[in-house]
Amino acid sequence: MKRLVTIQDISCFGKCSLTAALPVISAMGVETSVIPTAVLSTHTGEGFTGYTFRDLTADIPQIAEHWKRIGLKFDAIYTGYIGSCEQVETIKRFIDDFRTDNTIVIVDPVMGDNGKMYAGFDGKFVKSMKTLCAQADCILPNSTEAALLLGTDYKERRSEDELRKMISDLFSIGCKIVVMTGASPDPLHNGAILGNAENGEFYSSFCENISGNYHSTGDIFSGVFSGGLALGMDLHKALDLSVRFTHECIKATLPIREEQWYSVRFEPCLGTLAQECAAYNDDKQNF
Ligand code: PXL
């Protein structure tokens, strides 16, 4: 069984970060370990104010020390929301300690959406996040985060060529694979574009666009993509699966959009995801 560790906060209410990544990646048949970076009463996105925030940075080296003593190894390390520059440095050390030649490191540089930074982040944090991205095999920014990492202006819509250019510019940070999430080059389509610096290839995967902003879709997308890579899927398959699953979650949310304004209803979609990944695993074992 493949094993992944995901490092991100636990927002007790709001179905994002760990409370989304853990069920999704587990459903894919990947053993999922977690390092909670902070405990928040809710996520910090639009609609919530007055949330609590308990920083767990000091626990991370202690967890790492214990895991080293018991010899834990991971096929994938996937980082999401990180609360401070200091925490970024601690996580970089964790990656240095646990990365092997067979570990894939995926960094979702969670910093904002829809042209706005999430509460509590600033330019210093962007610089710090860039240094974490430099350690990754693969980064998954949305277009807001890509603009922050590149120091360019956010634009609501960019053509596919413009998005590819941004991806190529992001290679200079040092990671081989860049996946631009929430890519919507025209009003009818939404999905993701992957660029591979090693072979110069671009690959796009789109679904029909559903208008509106849906919180937590970035975390769900990154969870499925990371789980897929941990299972050994090729980049195209992992990208197609992530785009399709995220789209299904948004579709499942539409009938209860008013009450689920803070996230998406991924729960009814987990069964199909589990079946698809089990079929992928069985098929792979036949070769
Ligand atoms: O979904 C990304 C995310 C994760 N964790 C926390 C957040 C957000 C986005 O708002 O606030 C705490």
Side-chain angles (χ1 to χ4, degrees):
M1 195 166 177
K2 298 292 185 182
R3 183 188 292 143
L4 172 151
V5 56
T6 180
I7 309 176
Q8 47 188 320
D9 74 281
I10 186 152
S11 290
C12 301
F13 181 82
K15 291 202 294 184
C16 71
S17 44
L18 277 186
T19 58
L22 184 53
V24 164
I25 303 170
S26 298
M28 296 174 79
V30 176
E31 180 182 329
T32 312
S33 310
V34 302
I35 298 189
T37 54
V39 180
L40 292 87
S41 50
T42 66
H43 63 64
T44 69
E46 229 164 290
F48 290 125
T49 53
Y51 45 81
T52 66
F53 186 104
R54 179 169 302 276
D55 185 85
L56 297 177
T57 309
D59 292 67
I60 301 174
Q62 295 174 23
I63 294 169
E65 275 313 307
H66 183 207
W67 285 3
K68 267 193 260 176
R69 282 202 305 279
I70 58 174
L72 284 188
K73 301 247 180 317
F74 299 98
D75 299 292
I77 300 173
Y78 151 45
T79 74
Y81 181 98
I82 296 171
S84 67
C85 300
E86 186 200 346
Q87 207 164 68
V88 170
E89 292 307 311
T90 307
I91 291 169
K92 279 161 63 182
R93 280 193 291 277
F94 177 91
I95 293 172
D96 278 341
D97 284 351
F98 282 87
R99 174 179 236 159
T100 69
D101 290 346
N102 302 318
T103 313
I104 179 144
V105 176
I106 302 135
V107 170
D108 182 351
V110 177
M111 293 186 287
D113 206 358
N114 308 306
K116 281 194 233 146
M117 258 197 225
Y118 294 132
F121 293 143
D122 57 15
K124 196 162 159 253
F125 185 78
V126 176
K127 262 195 180 163
S128 171
M129 180 57 88
K130 239 170 133 164
T131 66
L132 178 62
C133 289
Q135 270 196 352
D137 296 303
C138 174
I139 62 169
L140 302 124
N142 59 32
S143 55
T144 303
E145 290 151 353
L148 288 169
L149 290 170
L150 291 172
T152 55
D153 288 339
Y154 169 77
K155 253 170 70 178
E156 205 173 310
R157 197 173 304 287
R158 283 189 158 91
S159 68
E160 195 162 345
D161 280 349
E162 286 176 304
L163 291 169
R164 285 182 178 206
K165 168 80 173 60
M166 278 183 110
I167 290 171
S168 299
D169 291 344
L170 285 166
F171 290 147
S172 66
I173 293 178
C175 41
K176 297 183 292 253
I177 310 288
V178 175
V179 175
M180 182 86 84
T181 62
S184 180
D186 67 73
L188 295 182
H189 297 95
N190 201 319
I193 305 174
L194 181 149
N196 185 337
E198 279 191 330
N199 60 12
E201 185 203 56
F202 285 93
Y203 178 74
S204 301
S205 188
F206 293 116
C207 276
E208 174 206 343
N209 186 39
I210 301 173
S211 65
N213 297 317
Y214 299 86
H215 199 276
S216 306
T217 47
D219 299 341
I220 286 167
F221 182 99
S222 299
V224 177
F225 190 76
S226 303
L229 295 190
L231 285 175
M233 285 179 190
D234 66 40
L235 293 167
H236 297 191
K237 185 164 177 60
L239 197 78
D240 288 339
L241 182 65
S242 314
V243 168
R244 209 160 19 87
F245 183 75
T246 308
H247 180 78
E248 288 305 316
C249 294
I250 296 173
K251 259 197 339 207
T253 311
L254 293 177
I256 57 156
R257 180 84 180 111
E258 298 274 292
E259 76 184 76
Q260 280 278 305
W261 55 269
Y262 50 85
S263 186
V264 287
R265 187 161 67 125
F266 61 79
E267 296 85 347
C269 308
L270 291 176
T272 311
L273 179 70
Q275 277 168 6
E276 273 192 53
C277 291
Y280 169 81
N281 264 333
D282 289 348
D283 198 30
K284 210 173 45 167
Q285 273 154 24
N286 292 332
F287 288 98

